[in-house]
Amino acid sequence: MSVLTQSISEALDIADQRHWTKNPPRSHTDRLGYLTAQLGTRQAAARLQLQEPLVSAGASSLTDETCQAIDREVRRIWQLTERQALHGTLVRNNAQVIVRFRARFGFSAARGSSNDSRLRFLAPQLLPQHAADLFAARHRDAGEAELRRILGDAIGAAYFFRRLGPHQTQAAAAITDLDFVEFRY
């Protein structure tokens, strides 16, 4: 099953989910318990954008939106050590990191020329240094704007590397309207 998202951080978390060695708790009550055990009630409430008494009340107060937020947060912090080891192995072994996305973006080349921004669907393989930058930013919990900038640089380099060769890869892609993004590795 493929889950499409507009968030780069969530798309990375979903890709990591394919490599888990063990599944997280199944019920939302158990997942909420895991979050509060890992983060504490106050921080779990802040991440879920709830008041602390609602987090302490457990499953009786969970809406569908809250359940989705719980799933997203558990996915984000589940098996962090294993995830970082996987990313390190991928980078060291120059493994394939493929990003499928549809977004509105344009390229600006080194000489100042540019292509008009338009909705494009691409699935390039990221160059190893860009995959490393993307993983490092995710590990330090970088914001979506920084992840989007890194991904734009990575897409520009991968796009022009394939078409023009390794010496013409200094173009960056500015991503504006990200319709969906999905990572595979």
Side-chain angles (χ1 to χ4, degrees):
M1 181 177 102
S2 182
V3 179
L4 301 178
T5 179
Q6 293 177 334
S7 163
I8 295 168
S9 56
E10 192 173 352
L12 286 167
D13 292 341
I14 290 169
D16 288 344
Q17 182 177 329
R18 294 182 194 103
H19 301 279
W20 285 346
T21 57
K22 165 174 126 171
N23 289 325
R26 287 183 183 248
S27 76
H28 288 99
T29 305
D30 291 344
R31 286 179 180 217
L32 184 58
Y34 171 76
L35 279 177
T36 56
Q38 294 297 310
L39 306 173
T41 304
R42 179 171 286 154
Q43 191 174 3
R47 286 201 180 175
L48 297 172
Q49 298 178 346
L50 296 173
Q51 296 175 354
E52 285 183 55
L54 292 174
V55 171
S56 300
S60 63
S61 62
L62 299 180
T63 64
D64 286 343
E65 188 176 293
T66 304
C67 289
Q68 290 173 355
I70 290 169
D71 291 346
R72 187 174 45 252
E73 287 303 315
V74 167
R75 189 181 313 118
R76 190 176 83 60
I77 66 171
W78 185 254
Q79 292 194 330
L80 279 178
T81 305
E82 290 85 350
R83 180 181 303 192
Q84 291 173 349
L86 166 70
H87 294 166
T89 302
L90 287 169
V91 169
R92 278 191 308 281
N93 295 326
N94 293 329
Q96 290 185 346
V97 176
I98 297 170
V99 58
R100 278 180 6 118
F101 68 97
R102 185 173 55 224
R104 182 173 306 281
F105 63 92
F107 296 102
S108 58
R111 291 189 202 143
S113 63
S114 65
N115 290 337
D116 287 338
S117 178
R118 65 180 187 264
L119 196 61
R120 302 173 197 237
F121 174 80
L122 291 174
Q125 178 180 334
L126 302 183
L127 299 174
Q129 68 269 21
H130 294 289
D133 292 345
L134 199 59
F135 290 145
R138 185 66 186 126
H139 292 179
R140 69 174 184 282
D141 231 3
E144 199 64 25
E146 182 179 354
L147 291 173
R148 195 171 283 219
R149 182 193 53 76
I150 293 168
L151 184 60
D153 292 346
I155 290 167
Y159 185 84
F160 285 106
F161 181 85
R162 190 173 47 164
R163 283 164 182 70
L164 304 175
H167 302 295
Q168 302 293 324
T169 60
Q170 295 183 358
I175 299 172
T176 54
D177 299 327
L178 188 60
D179 189 30
F180 79 87
V181 62
E182 178 185 52
F183 291 92
R184 292 281 181 171
Y185 39 85

